[in-house]
Amino acid sequence: MTTHSNTPAGWYPDPHGASQTLRYWDGAQWTQHTHQDQQAAGQAQAQAVQAPPVQQVPQMPQQSAGPDPRVQRQVQQQAGVTGGGTGGGTLFSEPVLVVNQKAKLIELTNEYKVMDQNGNQVGSVTQVGQSAFRKIVRFLWSIDQFMKIRLEIRDAHGQPVMLLTRPGKIFKSRVIVERPDGSPVGEIVQQNMIGKINFAMMVNGQQVGAIKAENWRAWNFAIVDHTGNEVARITKTWEGLAKTMFTTADNYVLQIHYQLPEPLLSLVLATALTVDTALKQDARGFG
């Protein structure tokens, strides 16, 4: 292979394309003499050493698709709650909680979805400890109020935060509230049977608050502290004609007026998340 004779003799990159190889040009033609291009090899090695490792592109957390208009309507129009403020995204830090029972034609297990005022799920309530025999009994007879019920309140990650036990009742309900480790929080005890239903929130034998029904159907409740000041409110919202007539689902909105101390906060949450189970409203109504 030849080229122009004015190219000075010397070592040049191999015209045949050999990688990191120099071939000698004698001034007139390419010779058979070759050797490795040390400088190119050294640069390639240095680049390999200095090249930063390939980084995995971090997955961005999924952004909320925006407020759920159905939940906002439930909160603002049906419950009349506006300007609830911004919460911390947990059961214990949201000023407004929406509690919607899962609609079922035949209810064998109590289950509730808990959301913030924009429809983001922050927790759930699930009945636990039911045997197959117990479910058969529930299917055949409506005797829930006479049977023991255990409910687990879970956070948004499915981790238990409270356990509630309602012993079988004949006349009055009592709900025992515990932490997941079994340590007691308090009790919610029904005070009367006739008229507007009232519950006392008890801790170590002392009353720290009360839940007072505002009508005989016990749809709406005012929650007060030990001094009688209202600290929260539970409002039943209409679940729709189809659900009202053909299912057992109930929906509620809890509004907490300001940050509450423990154990009052836990008892308020326990009340709101299990109010339907504690009272066990068998008669359906339209709110």
Side-chain angles (χ1 to χ4, degrees):
M1 179 178 180
T2 60
T3 185
H4 298 292
S5 60
N6 59 353
T7 301
W11 294 96
Y12 296 95
D14 185 14
H16 302 293
S19 175
Q20 299 179 4
T21 300
L22 298 178
R23 184 176 295 274
Y24 189 74
W25 169 256
D26 63 5
Q29 64 181 356
W30 293 104
T31 68
Q32 299 299 318
H33 304 292
T34 62
H35 70 81
Q36 186 179 14
D37 186 355
Q38 299 293 338
Q39 182 177 2
Q43 291 177 348
Q45 184 177 5
Q47 290 177 355
V49 172
Q50 297 175 3
V54 177
Q55 296 183 352
Q56 297 291 335
V57 178
Q59 295 184 353
M60 299 299 292
Q62 293 184 351
Q63 298 296 323
S64 173
D68 187 333
R70 294 170 300 178
V71 174
Q72 288 189 320
R73 182 168 58 253
Q74 182 180 348
V75 171
Q76 298 173 9
Q77 297 181 14
Q78 298 183 20
V81 176
T82 58
T86 302
T90 70
L91 287 171
F92 295 92
S93 61
E94 285 293 331
V96 177
L97 292 176
V98 180
V99 186
N100 288 352
Q101 187 175 12
K102 291 187 178 181
K104 303 173 184 178
L105 291 176
I106 301 174
E107 183 185 38
L108 298 181
T109 301
N110 296 312
E111 293 181 289
Y112 301 82
K113 180 179 181 181
V114 187
M115 298 167 285
D116 66 12
Q117 57 192 316
N118 293 317
N120 301 306
Q121 185 167 356
V122 296
S124 62
V125 182
T126 302
Q127 186 171 356
V128 296
Q130 274 200 120
S131 64
F133 174 76
R134 166 71 180 273
K135 291 183 179 181
I136 294 174
V137 171
R138 292 190 70 178
F139 177 77
L140 295 176
W141 298 284
S142 180
I143 56 173
D144 274 8
Q145 65 176 339
F146 305 113
M147 305 176 73
K148 179 179 179 180
I149 293 178
R150 299 178 76 241
L151 297 171
E152 198 171 72
I153 298 177
R154 301 169 180 171
D155 62 17
H157 304 288
Q159 297 300 312
V161 295
M162 280 192 287
L163 180 64
L164 292 86
T165 303
R166 194 211 69 184
K169 71 168 187 175
I170 298 179
F171 299 113
K172 295 181 180 180
S173 287
R174 180 172 67 97
V175 177
I176 303 168
V177 184
E178 299 172 305
R179 299 296 181 195
D181 61 2
S183 58
V185 176
E187 294 187 1
I188 304 166
V189 183
Q190 185 176 343
Q191 298 295 291
N192 63 316
M193 295 175 52
I194 301 175
K196 299 177 182 179
I197 300 299
N198 292 328
F199 289 81
M201 293 185 286
M202 308 295 294
V203 176
N204 296 326
Q206 300 293 322
Q207 184 170 345
V208 299
I211 304 101
K212 299 183 177 181
E214 296 186 335
N215 47 56
W216 68 271
R217 284 184 173 178
W219 290 146
N220 303 326
F221 298 85
I223 303 178
V224 300
D225 60 16
H226 68 285
T227 66
N229 293 321
E230 182 175 309
V231 297
R233 175 170 292 273
I234 301 173
T235 305
K236 184 181 187 298
T237 56
W238 192 49
E239 58 271 24
L241 182 61
K243 285 186 177 180
T244 298
M245 295 183 66
F246 301 113
T247 76
T248 60
D250 283 313
N251 301 333
Y252 294 88
V253 173
L254 168 67
Q255 181 185 20
I256 301 177
H257 301 327
Y258 53 85
Q259 185 63 38
L260 301 176
E262 288 289 357
L264 180 60
L265 175 59
S266 291
L267 290 175
V268 168
L269 291 176
T271 299
L273 300 184
T274 61
V275 61
D276 185 62
T277 301
L279 294 177
K280 195 52 191 174
Q281 297 290 337
D282 294 319
R284 307 297 293 157
F286 296 92

